[in-house]
Amino acid sequence: MTTRKNSDLIGIVLMGGNSQRMGKDKSQISYHRIPQYQYLFQLLSKYCSEVYLSCNAKQQTKIESSFPLIKDVNDNKGPLEGIKSAFNIIDKSLLTVPCDMPVINDELILQLINSRNSDLDAVCYSDTDGHINPLFAIWEESCIEELKKFKGDSPKQFLKLVRTQVLKASSEALKNINTPDELNLYLKNQG
């Protein structure tokens, strides 16, 4: 597969949550023989001119120093805080991926990239049940000013306010793992 870096697209691995339901940092779980944050960093590096890990203050000390970080301005405010924190220092479009989705792959990323349109502010996915996943998405530079004015903390609510294209993907492709039971079941099914 031939890949091309997009000079106007910055990759952001969203990993700043508390992982309360999991009981341990979800970004450190290994689905692909390396911690998930490293896997997603490598994956996004194929398509984005730069990639950053969006993290909270506690996570900073657990991440190898070779990875560029963007620390959440306000910890424990949810994933939209990670996106806002990235846009505070980056004035390019963002390709965001959450660290709790082990099935993210080249095909899904390319579909997002190929669906970009200058008339849109964002492109994201919806699963077969109609549940929108606003965190595996491209947030165009055109939405920065609206995001700065947005007072809520729901990425889904924000994407309803701007011009967003919603792509379809299977529920399995958009699976996220949030609890030890979900993790054990996923790993068992992987063989």
Side-chain angles (χ1 to χ4, degrees), residues 9 83 93-97 108-126 132-143 158-159 162-168:
L9 195 59
I83 295 166
S93 300
L94 306 179
L95 170 54
T96 62
V97 295
L108 291 168
I109 290 173
L110 281 171
Q111 187 176 356
L112 276 178
I113 291 171
N114 292 334
S115 297
R116 293 177 80 189
N117 178 320
S118 61
D119 293 330
L120 298 173
D121 296 311
V123 180
C124 67
Y125 279 107
S126 170
I132 291 177
N133 186 318
L135 302 180
F136 182 26
I138 294 178
W139 299 68
E140 297 292 354
E141 185 181 349
S142 60
C143 72
F158 176 77
L159 290 182
V162 297
R163 300 164 300 172
T164 302
Q165 180 178 358
V166 180
L167 308 174
K168 295 287 184 194

Side-chain angles (χ1 to χ4, degrees), residues 12-17 52-56 70-90 94 96 135 139 147 153 155:
I12 304 291
V13 179
L14 297 169
M15 52 183 275
Y52 295 87
L53 303 177
S54 171
C55 66
N56 62 41
I70 297 175
K71 186 188 156 305
D72 290 350
V73 173
N74 297 300
D75 281 345
N76 306 318
K77 296 290 184 187
L80 193 59
E81 182 61 32
I83 295 166
K84 286 179 175 181
S85 296
F87 272 137
N88 279 341
I89 61 171
I90 296 169
L94 306 179
T96 62
L135 302 180
W139 299 68
L147 188 56
D153 60 5

Side-chain angles (χ1 to χ4, degrees), residues 4-31:
R4 179 178 68 80
K5 289 190 188 238
N6 297 271
S7 61
D8 66 333
L9 195 59
I10 305 296
I12 304 291
V13 179
L14 297 169
M15 52 183 275
N18 288 325
S19 303
Q20 288 176 314
R21 289 180 287 167
M22 182 62 75
K24 62 181 177 180
D25 188 341
K26 291 186 284 187
S27 70
Q28 299 289 335
I29 295 172
S30 176
Y31 299 103

